[in-house]
Amino acid sequence: MSRFFSEKYASLVPYTPGEQPKDTQYIKLNTNESPFPPSEKAIKAAGEAARELQLYPDPESFALTQAFADILGVKREEVLMTNGSDEILNFAFMAYCDDTHPAVFPNITYGFYPVFAEINRIPYEEIPLRDDFTINVDDYCGIGKTIFIANPNAPTGIALSLAEIEKIVASNPDSIVVVDEAYVDFGAESAVPLIHQYDNLIVTQTCSKSRSMAGARLGFGVANEALIRDLNTIKYSTNPYNINRMTMAAGIGVAQDEAYTKANCKTIMENRAFTMDELKKLGFICTDSMANFIFATHPDLDGEVLYQKLKEKGILVRHFSKPAICAYNRITVGTRAQMEAFIRAVRQIMEETK
Ligand code: PMP
């Protein structure tokens, strides 16, 4: 830290992104990216948009917002497109949390939530999950704080039902509930249809996972018009041109290719089932993941040792050092060939460590 760095950030611990190695060719199962390329329509549109990079992009992202509103079955005024869903999550922390509206989220969840709270100097509470990593919905009912719930949760992959989400939203009519649906397209139920019924609900989603565009940085929030106006106030006060031209074009392209997105999600769900079956045959315990990753532990294999040994064999998974989950690894679901290679490597490691 330099001597000029503001005191107010002295204790800020930044978010640690998953490894993006530059040295070896790894099978990358560590950052929940899609193993499939972006839609050809997105690639072509982004290339064409590069010809106009001398111009600022449309600050309203009009056509892009309309394209996603159509997919979601809502009005354009009920959607805000952002630079990854991280951006809209940060906007929500800025817009709806302060000393009188602290943030609340599970103690095991997306690691960026406490960082958003810290950088915005927002008090926050972390509610423990049950021992089986499920969220106890009653803990959040009538809590009267700004709630952030990842559904499915990360890194567990466990999803709440729509009825459970609705119970939380309905019991907190005077507080905002943000449902982070980064992984919803892999088998969970979306809360988007509830936005017309509840004026305190914001749903966020991303093009980083199911739409193979993590590198483009495109996410969005869905909520009633008044909330979207609030979030736009934050956007126009931080980064009015938040979606660059190439990403905007790629987003419009991928929105026209829903069949490709759906087919890829189906394949990922099949590969998830295959991998979980194989892991269970080897004695692993897996959570009931509805995401594009598996969260697994083995009674006789240390979580960190497995992570290290897989890395030595050229396979990257994500290991978290937090004591409650350090026995586990989070394994992104890739192609069938990648998952077969992963299972082969796990089998070898089990032989070697016998
Ligand atoms: N929410 C959750 C639960 C995530 O795991 C991630 C990805 N790291 C995000 C939001 C943010 O994703 P992005 O900014 O790429 O949309």
Side-chain angles (χ1 to χ4, degrees):
M1 190 193 310
S2 83
R3 64 197 164 92
F4 304 104
F5 196 50
S6 171
E7 263 299 306
K8 65 178 187 268
Y9 298 130
S11 61
L12 184 65
V13 181
Y15 175 70
T16 316
E19 292 166 88
Q20 296 288 2
K22 290 169 193 69
D23 51 351
T24 332
Q25 269 303 104
Y26 285 98
I27 293 182
K28 251 189 114 277
L29 307 178
N30 68 327
T31 44
N32 299 341
E33 290 141 329
S34 172
F36 306 116
S39 150
E40 278 303 325
K41 291 187 181 173
I43 296 170
K44 188 163 172 282
E48 283 163 11
R51 297 186 186 283
E52 290 188 321
L53 284 179
Q54 76 278 22
L55 302 173
Y56 282 110
D58 170 15
E60 276 187 82
S61 299
F62 192 95
L64 175 67
T65 312
Q66 187 64 58
F68 276 87
D70 291 346
I71 288 175
L72 297 159
V74 300
K75 288 192 282 187
R76 186 174 41 76
E77 294 79 4
E78 293 167 332
V79 179
L80 176 60
M81 305 302 297
T82 53
N83 191 317
S85 56
D86 281 338
E87 188 178 49
I88 192 129
L89 290 166
N90 190 32
F91 288 172
F93 273 89
M94 293 170 81
Y96 303 111
C97 302
D98 53 33
D99 288 346
T100 50
H101 304 88
V104 61
F105 38 82
N107 65 334
I108 296 167
T109 189
Y110 184 31
F112 219 143
Y113 299 160
V115 183
F116 289 135
E118 295 281 349
I119 195 159
N120 292 302
R121 315 182 96 194
I122 292 160
Y124 63 95
E125 182 190 344
E126 296 177 293
I127 299 184
L129 295 181
R130 293 195 188 99
D131 289 346
D132 64 358
F133 296 135
T134 54
I135 289 174
N136 182 356
V137 170
D138 292 335
D139 288 344
Y140 296 84
C141 287
I143 196 167
K145 295 176 180 171
T146 305
I147 300 171
F148 292 81
I149 299 241
N151 194 44
N153 198 11
T156 64
I158 299 171
L160 293 174
S161 68
L162 188 55
E164 289 171 308
I165 291 288
E166 182 165 7
K167 196 173 167 198
I168 295 172
V169 178
S171 70
N172 288 284
D174 297 321
S175 302
I176 290 291
V177 180
V178 178
V179 182
D180 171 354
E181 296 187 348
Y183 301 103
V184 76
D185 296 329
F186 304 99
E189 290 173 283
S190 175
V192 166
L194 298 182
I195 63 146
H196 296 126
Q197 229 171 308
Y198 297 98
D199 68 356
N200 60 326
L201 171 64
I202 299 173
V203 179
T204 65
Q205 292 189 13
T206 181
C207 293
S208 296
K209 319 292 175 184
S210 56
R211 293 190 168 85
S212 300
M213 299 213 321
R217 312 304 301 125
L218 186 62
F220 52 93
V222 195
N224 73 60
E225 291 184 41
L227 297 183
I228 294 297
R229 275 196 300 275
D230 296 341
L231 293 162
N232 260 311
T233 299
I234 305 287
K235 171 189 132 162
Y236 283 100
S237 308
T238 48
N239 190 10
Y241 302 110
N242 63 336
I243 314 288
N244 72 71
R245 272 184 179 270
M246 291 173 73
T247 294
M248 206 177 290
I252 294 167
V254 76
Q256 291 162 355
D257 212 352
E258 277 290 274
Y260 180 70
T261 297
K262 291 213 166 85
N264 285 343
C265 290
K266 184 167 173 281
T267 307
I268 293 295
M269 289 188 272
E270 286 163 5
N271 294 351
R272 179 179 70 202
F274 160 78
T275 313
M276 278 169 67
D277 273 357
E278 293 297 311
L279 284 173
K280 284 176 188 169
K281 281 185 215 158
L282 294 170
F284 279 81
I285 297 156
C286 306
T287 57
D288 188 12
S289 175
M290 289 286 158
N292 67 338
F293 54 81
I294 292 163
F295 197 53
T297 185
H298 194 286
D300 307 324
L301 207 51
D302 182 82
E304 190 169 2
V305 169
L306 177 61
Y307 157 78
Q308 278 299 348
K309 291 203 173 288
L310 281 167
K311 191 170 177 181
E312 284 161 23
K313 292 185 188 299
I315 298 178
L316 269 188
V317 298
R318 184 102 195 238
H319 179 259
F320 300 89
S321 52
K322 207 171 181 166
I325 52 172
C326 67
Y328 283 74
N329 278 290
R330 191 195 68 190
I331 304 125
T332 303
V333 178
T335 61
R336 177 70 182 238
Q338 287 177 321
M339 300 327 282
E340 281 169 0
F342 163 74
I343 292 291
R344 269 196 308 277
V346 171
R347 244 190 236 120
Q348 277 173 8
I349 292 165
M350 292 185 70
E351 283 295 316
E352 288 161 18
T353 53
K354 240 182 201 166

